[in-house]
Amino acid sequence: MTTARVPAASVPASVPSTMRLTALHAKYGLIETFRVPIAVIGTVVFPALALLFFVVPQRVVAEDPLYATQAVISLCVFAVMSNALFSFGLTISENREKPWDPYLRTLPAPGIARVLAQILSTGALGLVAILPVVLVGGFFTAAAAPPVRILAGILTLAISAVPFMLIGTAIGYALPFKAAIAVIQIVMFSLAFIGGLFLPPILFADWLNEISKFTPSRQAREFVIWAVEGGPLEWWVWVGILVWTAVMLLVSLALYRRDEGKRYR
């Protein structure tokens, strides 16, 4: 008896799963980012330097566990915020001007794989960015928190980063690369100052403090402080994070469709 053999060419190739494609996109995204080390160094070093030069010399703040912990948290939020704005804003804006991006869209890979990969690679860089801040805070200030609270802080930090990712996405789809760089810097420093990431809100005037509560940076700061230090969570914190997430998601989707209509019709 003879057995008919199926030609190798007729056997369908296995299709990679979405998770495998996501891992591949994230891996090569990180490799591409680390090919320009100064871009990573700037994101990682600046928040730690801000803590070292502006908080550590202020011994009244650095030697007080409560204030020192809040200062470390504020600069961790700044590190995650700047990383999210630059990673999403500049990557998307730059990709829109390259022929490689339209080619990627022709490949049989779901768009969700690229979105998840961007979130994963940005999240990994965000963890790298907060590490120097935590080390400087641990060695040179009285900042302290139990391990469980630190894990809760990292989780809330990840949740509060979502609005910043969406703001970066909207900027990336709305502006060309050179304009995106300038706008991201303006948005980043404006949110940092008004959100109490460089100066504690207790030093704000009453009117500035009220405005500050509407910003995603202030809401992220209070959210992480609540997770690390405990105490009551003000309603405007979690409501603000939800509203910013919903609004910026709608804006990002509208700008994505506008961009798709321009380049692929």
Side-chain angles (χ1 to χ4, degrees):
M1 187 177 68
T2 58
T3 304
R5 292 184 177 178
V6 179
S10 65
V11 177
S14 61
V15 179
S17 65
T18 300
M19 291 308 298
R20 177 173 167 74
L21 290 171
T22 299
L24 283 173
H25 273 291
K27 172 186 172 183
Y28 286 104
L30 287 172
I31 291 174
E32 186 177 4
T33 301
F34 279 97
R35 281 178 177 169
V36 187
I38 190 64
V40 181
I41 291 173
T43 302
V44 171
V45 171
F46 184 74
L49 288 180
L51 181 65
L52 190 61
F53 292 148
F54 295 110
V55 176
V56 172
Q58 307 294 329
R59 301 315 299 170
V60 175
V61 176
E63 294 177 356
D64 185 290
L66 178 66
Y67 293 150
T69 304
Q70 292 184 359
V72 171
I73 290 172
S74 297
L75 287 169
C76 284
V77 172
F78 175 74
V80 170
M81 179 183 73
S82 61
N83 178 60
L85 289 174
F86 276 103
S87 294
F88 277 81
L90 294 189
T91 300
I92 292 174
S93 181
E94 186 180 22
N95 286 342
R96 289 172 56 231
E97 298 179 357
K98 291 181 176 178
W100 179 249
D101 189 60
Y103 170 71
L104 285 179
R105 292 198 181 196
T106 66
L107 300 178
I112 188 66
R114 296 182 60 194
V115 174
L116 291 177
Q118 182 72 30
I119 293 173
L120 284 177
S121 58
T122 303
L125 286 175
L127 286 176
V128 173
I130 66 173
L131 189 59
V133 178
V134 174
L135 290 176
V136 171
F139 282 116
F140 299 107
T141 73
V148 175
R149 289 288 185 178
I150 293 175
L151 290 177
I154 293 174
L155 179 61
T156 51
L157 199 58
I159 295 172
S160 59
V162 174
F164 303 125
M165 293 180 182
L166 292 170
I167 293 172
T169 302
I171 293 173
Y173 280 117
L175 299 171
F177 181 69
K178 291 182 179 179
I181 295 176
V183 171
I184 287 173
Q185 289 177 338
I186 293 170
V187 170
M188 179 184 70
F189 283 111
S190 299
L191 288 178
F193 278 107
I194 201 170
L197 304 185
F198 290 158
L199 286 175
I202 195 173
L203 299 178
F204 287 177
D206 291 341
W207 62 269
L208 184 58
N209 186 48
E210 292 302 317
I211 294 175
S212 174
K213 293 178 181 177
F214 290 94
T215 62
S217 48
R218 174 69 183 277
Q219 293 153 4
R221 176 186 184 275
E222 302 300 332
F223 193 37
V224 182
I225 287 176
W226 166 77
V228 174
E229 295 188 338
L233 179 65
E234 298 288 345
W235 66 271
W236 52 266
V237 174
W238 59 271
V239 170
I241 292 173
L242 290 177
V243 170
W244 271 102
T245 300
V247 170
M248 293 313 303
L249 179 61
L250 292 176
V251 172
S252 298
L253 288 175
L255 291 170
Y256 173 83
R257 289 175 179 172
R258 188 192 70 166
D259 175 70
E260 193 172 49
K262 282 183 178 178
R263 293 195 296 155
Y264 300 99
R265 61 187 175 186

